Amino acid sequence: MNEWIKVSDRLPEHSLDDTRTIEVLVFFADGIETGFYDFKHKSWYIDDARDSITSITHWMYLPEKPTLNEEFVRTQILDNGKYRLWMKLLH
C-alpha cells in the first residue's frame, strides 16, 4: 500500500522528459489533488493550475490502474459507444 511521503524527505522520480516528476497525489492546505514537481523551476503544480503551489507537504505514488480483460470491455462498454477509447487504454 502506498503511504504519504514528506516533501522534505524526498521527491518523486523524474518522468520521461526529465524536467518534472511523474504524476502523483499531493496533499496541501486545500486538500488532495494529482500533481507533479517541476525540477527546473523547483516548484509543485497541481494538474488544473498554472501557478505553483507552495503549501504541499506530502505526496504519494498513484495506485496501479485496474486491469480489464477485452471480453469485459466488449460486453460492458461497447453498448455505451466507448469501446475504442477503452481499447486504447488497455493497450
Side-chain angles (χ1 to χ4, degrees):
M1 174 167 222
N2 291 339
E3 294 189 19
W4 290 104
I5 300 166
K6 290 181 183 179
V7 297
S8 60
D9 289 347
R10 74 181 165 112
L11 295 172
E13 61 193 66
H14 284 73
S15 67
L16 294 177
D17 70 8
D18 209 35
T19 60
R20 60 181 247 184
T21 65
I22 59 173
E23 187 175 42
V24 294
L25 289 177
V26 294
F27 180 84
F28 63 112
D30 292 336
I32 298 171
E33 297 279 347
T34 55
F36 63 91
Y37 183 80
D38 184 316
F39 288 100
K40 182 178 179 181
H41 298 104
K42 298 183 178 173
S43 299
W44 284 97
Y45 295 87
I46 57 174
D47 290 337
D48 62 354
R50 292 184 180 178
D51 296 328
S52 65
I53 308 296
T54 59
S55 61
I56 292 174
T57 60
H58 293 75
W59 64 273
M60 177 190 301
Y61 286 110
L62 294 172
E64 293 291 323
K65 63 183 178 182
T67 57
L68 300 174
N69 68 42
E70 192 170 335
E71 181 62 26
F72 171 83
V73 172
R74 188 181 302 105
T75 59
Q76 301 297 316
I77 300 173
L78 183 59
D79 293 338
N80 295 329
K82 298 179 183 174
Y83 181 71
R84 286 186 184 166
L85 172 65
W86 277 98
M87 289 310 297
K88 287 175 98 175
L89 293 175
L90 286 175
H91 298 289

